[in-house]
């Protein structure tokens, strides 16, 4: 009996490790001794996909097709899927694949009953950068703790940012976008605003400057597009289609390839928001949602310690909410060790060993796998496109034997759909009218600007009134100190002594004449 058909052979022992009784996804057929064995199927239990996973391999080895293969089967089993599409080549999951000789040959090799099929899909973009339904979050919903990690603030600065959020909440100053936060920070270090936080610690000018500079750098990464309204409801990612299949949500990210901080920010917010909103469910027969983050090295390259700690904690805890997370990248070393330790399902495509660094990475990768009858160093450098070394968690949570596998072909289109089709799919979505147009309602920036404008107007009015009073007083003083004008000729005559004496004399004579006429006395005769 040949080794491949002997019940005690390594091939059979490996295959036995994948003979699950519950629902499972079919990945492909076992490779052993240079041959593909279609009767030895390699699978992953559906219930274990919330234990997270890694799809790794050199460029061109088929990682994206593996992602597509797993996502299709999750959708078919009623599990919603989220795909972060960095390169823009996953949109084809929404269209049926193309039948050709290569696909038929692959299907025959792995005993796959292949037929073309599309998945129900929605397309999103970060804040409207690129094609897709815009995904936005408000600054308030993001919160000071998460924002501090993104801005790489120290503990003191994080506490100050917390005070800023507390002040904004207590004063009814909505922090919707970054200009709102900037306005509140600037106000609290202004002459008028300094006293506002005095009773609870205050905000130093130095700390405010650090926060404002960090916000400026963050905005340069495109963050101003992500923060705003209408705020996206992350429960939209948990929907199923009318036929019961899980909806595949594709986040189109080609336009933000050079903005890794923005992608990292979104990832932190999304996982944190789902973790906060979803109830604890423990182990389910199938996940509520599975994430795939392609080009995961963009998330972790240059990431702060606080960010890595946050991601590690979230990945560890979110499993209990029924959420699975898969990272797709070139080598396992792209993923921090603490995160890698949480990834129970592994699909490792071929690695290259052209340089000493490549050889070192290869040896490190081999050490992350369980003991195996394969020579993994040789195997990993000799795998063809669409072949991988696999180990997953069995239904009881134990690692399965390492299995070299020829993977099945995806049933959807292996490539992007054209731009017109993608744009049409976006605008046909029921969510487009809800989230497409940004809303800039009155919030902290407008309220503070209005108060400042009112204060400036009052100050100007007071200054104008003071100036008018000053001018009036100066005019009055000038009038008092001015020399009196010379009297006219009539005034001089009337005011002379001779005129006054004459007037008295005339007045006396006239008075006697009037008295005589009134009392009848006669004029005395001489």
């Amino acid at each position: 009996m040949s080794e491949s058909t002997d019940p005690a052979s390594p091939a059979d022992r490996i295959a036995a490790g994948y003979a699950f009784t519950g629902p499972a996804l079919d990945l492909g057929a076992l490779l052993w001794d240079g041959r593909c064995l279609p009767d030895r199927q390699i699978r992953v239990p559906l219930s274990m996909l919330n234990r997270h996973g890694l799809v790794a391999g050199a460029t061109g080895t088929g990682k994206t097709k593996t992602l597509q293969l797993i996502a299709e089967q999750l959708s078919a089993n009623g599990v919603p899927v989220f795909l972060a599409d960095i390169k823009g080549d996953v949109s084809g999951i929404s269209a049926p694949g193309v039948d050709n000789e290569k696909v038929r040959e692959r299907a025959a090799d792995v005993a796959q009953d292949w037929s073309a099929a599309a998945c129900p899909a929605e397309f999103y973009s970060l804040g409207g950068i690129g094609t897709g339904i815009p995904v936005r979050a408000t600054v308030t919903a993001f919160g000071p703790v998460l924002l501090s990690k993104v801005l790489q603030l120290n503990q003191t600065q994080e506490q100050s940012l917390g005070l800023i959020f507390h002040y904004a909440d207590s004063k009814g100053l909505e922090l919707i976008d970054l200009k709102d936060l900037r306005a509140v920070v600037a106000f609290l270090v202004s002459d008028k605003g300094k006293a506002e936080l005095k009773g609870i610690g205050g905000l130093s000018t130095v700390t405010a400057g650090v926060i404002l500079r960090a916000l400026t750098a963050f905005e340069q990464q495109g963050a101003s597009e992500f923060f705003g309204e209408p705020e996206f409801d992350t429960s939209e990612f948990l929907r199923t289609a009318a036929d019961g299949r899980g909806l595949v949500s594709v986040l189109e990210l080609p336009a933000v390839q050079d903005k890794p901080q923005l992608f990292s920010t979104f990832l932190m917010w999304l996982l944190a928001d789902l973790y906060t909103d979803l109830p604890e469910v423990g182990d389910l027969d199938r996940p509520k949602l599975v994430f795939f983050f392609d080009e995961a090295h963009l998330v972790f390259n240059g990431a702060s310690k606080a960010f890595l700690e946050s991601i590690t904690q979230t990945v560890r805890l979110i499993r209990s909410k029924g959420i699975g997370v898969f990272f797709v990248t070139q080598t396992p070393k792209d993923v921090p060790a603490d995160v890698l330790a949480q990834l129970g399902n592994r699909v490792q495509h071929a690695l290259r060993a052209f340089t000493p660094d490549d050889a070192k990475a290869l040896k490190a990768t081999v050490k992350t796998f369980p003991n195996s009858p394969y020579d993994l160093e040789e195997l990993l450098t000799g795998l063809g496109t669409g072949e991988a070394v696999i180990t997953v968690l069995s239904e009881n949570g134990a690692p399965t034997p390492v299995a070299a596998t020829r993977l099945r072909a995806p049933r959807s289109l292996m490539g992007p759909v054209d731009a017109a089709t993608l744009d049409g799919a976006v605008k046909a979505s029921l969510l487009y009218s809800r989230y497409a147009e940004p809303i800039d309602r009155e919030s902290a920036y407008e309220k503070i600007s209005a108060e400042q404008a009112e204060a400036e107007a009052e100050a100007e009015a007071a200054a104008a009134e003071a100036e008018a009073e000053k001018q009036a007083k100066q005019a009055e003083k000038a009038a008092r100190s001015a020399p009196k004008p010379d009297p006219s000729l009539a005034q001089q005559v009337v005011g002379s002594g001779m005129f006054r004496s004459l007037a008295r004399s005339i007045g006396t004579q006239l008075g006697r004449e009037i008295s005589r006429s009134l009392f009848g006395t006669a004029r005395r005769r001489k």
Side-chain angles (χ1 to χ4, degrees):
M1 185 178 290
S2 69
E3 185 179 46
S4 63
T5 58
D6 182 352
S9 73
D12 279 333
R13 288 196 294 270
I14 293 170
Y18 293 86
F20 310 122
T21 58
L25 308 186
D26 296 311
L27 300 179
L30 180 68
L31 288 171
W32 180 258
D33 198 22
R35 294 188 299 127
C36 182
L37 308 177
D39 58 334
R40 273 54 165 203
Q41 289 293 305
I42 304 303
R43 311 161 76 214
V44 55
L46 188 59
S47 61
M48 289 293 111
L49 285 171
N50 69 331
R51 302 297 181 93
H52 313 315
L54 175 72
V55 179
T59 300
T61 55
K63 298 188 300 297
T64 302
K65 305 300 181 291
T66 299
L67 175 161
Q68 200 167 334
L69 172 67
I70 298 174
E72 286 176 355
Q73 294 187 65
L74 283 167
S75 174
N77 280 274
V79 179
V81 175
F82 177 93
L83 301 177
D85 184 13
I86 292 287
K87 295 176 292 186
D89 55 1
V90 185
S91 58
I93 200 167
S94 64
V98 177
D99 188 3
N100 55 41
E101 184 61 34
K102 190 173 182 180
V103 168
R104 289 193 292 271
E105 182 181 343
R106 172 59 63 105
D109 282 348
V110 299
Q112 178 185 9
D113 183 15
W114 189 92
S115 61
C119 292
E122 295 270 25
F123 297 94
Y124 299 92
S125 63
L126 282 185
I129 303 175
T131 303
I133 300 162
V135 176
R136 302 182 185 90
T138 64
V139 173
T140 294
F142 206 79
V145 175
L146 204 56
L147 190 58
S148 295
K149 296 182 189 307
V150 171
L151 298 178
Q152 300 185 30
L153 304 180
N154 62 31
Q155 185 177 5
T156 300
Q157 293 157 358
E158 179 179 340
Q159 291 170 348
S160 295
L161 188 61
L163 286 177
I164 293 167
F165 272 71
H166 170 75
Y167 171 79
D169 287 342
S170 64
K171 297 295 183 180
L173 299 172
E174 296 88 347
L175 300 178
I176 293 174
D177 50 29
L178 292 181
K179 72 176 185 295
D180 289 327
L181 180 57
R182 184 184 292 280
V184 174
V185 174
F187 171 73
L188 290 174
V189 291
S190 67
D191 291 339
K192 184 179 179 181
K194 281 180 181 178
E196 295 288 336
L197 295 181
K198 190 173 182 181
I200 52 175
L203 176 66
S204 74
T205 305
V206 174
T207 298
V210 170
I211 294 172
L212 290 173
R213 287 193 296 274
L215 285 174
T216 299
F218 194 29
E219 287 172 323
Q220 291 173 349
Q221 279 279 319
S224 56
E225 298 288 337
F226 174 60
F227 288 97
E229 286 185 323
E231 184 172 35
F232 190 79
D233 183 354
T234 54
S235 67
E236 305 284 9
F237 296 139
L238 299 170
R239 292 178 298 141
T240 55
D243 59 5
R245 289 183 295 166
L247 197 64
V248 179
S249 300
V250 183
L251 182 67
E252 290 294 316
L253 295 170
V256 299
Q257 288 189 62
D258 59 342
K259 299 177 175 63
Q261 190 181 12
L262 178 58
F263 182 32
S264 300
T265 299
F266 164 77
L267 170 58
M268 290 177 68
W269 166 76
L270 180 56
L271 295 179
D273 193 71
L274 286 169
Y275 179 79
T276 301
D277 290 349
L278 293 176
E280 293 278 342
V281 294
D283 291 325
L284 301 173
D285 60 351
R286 66 193 64 213
K288 285 188 173 183
L289 175 67
V290 177
F291 284 93
F292 291 88
F293 292 103
D294 201 4
E295 303 294 330
H297 65 278
L298 294 177
V299 176
F300 298 112
N301 282 355
S304 67
K305 182 180 178 181
F307 171 79
L308 296 178
E309 289 174 351
S310 177
I311 288 294
T312 302
Q313 182 180 23
T314 303
V315 169
R316 181 184 298 118
L317 297 177
I318 204 169
R319 178 181 69 81
S320 64
K321 307 283 186 168
I323 304 295
V325 180
F326 276 69
F327 295 101
V328 184
T329 190
Q330 294 189 4
T331 72
K333 71 175 185 176
D334 291 334
V335 181
D338 288 341
V339 176
L340 191 62
Q342 308 299 318
L343 310 182
N345 302 297
R346 300 276 302 277
V347 180
Q348 177 65 61
H349 288 267
L351 291 174
R352 309 301 180 214
F354 298 139
T355 68
D357 285 344
D358 291 341
K360 186 177 179 181
L362 174 62
K363 290 182 180 294
T365 299
V366 169
K367 291 179 180 178
T368 64
F369 282 92
N371 291 331
S372 164
Y374 294 101
D375 181 347
L376 287 180
E377 282 194 38
E378 180 180 349
L379 178 61
L380 286 174
T381 55
L383 290 171
T385 301
E387 297 176 347
V389 171
I390 292 174
T391 179
V392 300
L393 294 180
S394 67
E395 290 168 310
N396 61 10
T400 59
V402 174
T405 306
R406 181 163 294 164
L407 297 164
R408 293 186 169 212
R411 299 173 65 192
S412 57
L413 182 64
M414 290 186 279
V417 296
D418 62 79
T421 301
L422 178 60
D423 187 61
V426 171
K427 292 179 178 174
S429 170
L430 297 177
L431 300 182
Y432 186 76
S433 60
R434 190 182 308 171
Y435 294 109
E437 290 300 320
I439 300 171
D440 190 12
R441 64 184 174 91
E442 185 184 56
S443 51
Y445 173 79
E446 288 78 12
K447 290 179 180 179
I448 290 175
S449 297
E451 289 179 2
Q452 289 176 338
E454 183 179 351
E456 289 174 2
E458 290 176 356
E460 289 177 1
E465 184 178 350
E467 181 65 22
E469 290 180 2
K470 180 180 177 182
Q471 294 292 341
K473 289 179 180 179
Q474 289 178 344
E476 184 181 350
K477 182 178 179 181
R480 287 199 304 267
S481 61
K484 294 182 180 180
D486 293 335
S488 64
L489 179 61
Q491 290 172 326
Q492 292 178 20
V493 170
V494 170
S496 65
M498 181 182 294
F499 180 83
R500 288 196 294 272
S501 177
L502 179 60
R504 282 196 300 272
S505 176
I506 293 172
T508 301
Q509 180 67 28
L510 181 60
R512 284 197 296 268
E513 290 295 330
I514 292 172
S515 297
R516 292 189 189 107
S517 64
L518 289 174
F519 299 108
T521 57
R523 183 179 297 175
R524 185 178 297 173
R525 296 179 182 272
K526 292 184 180 179

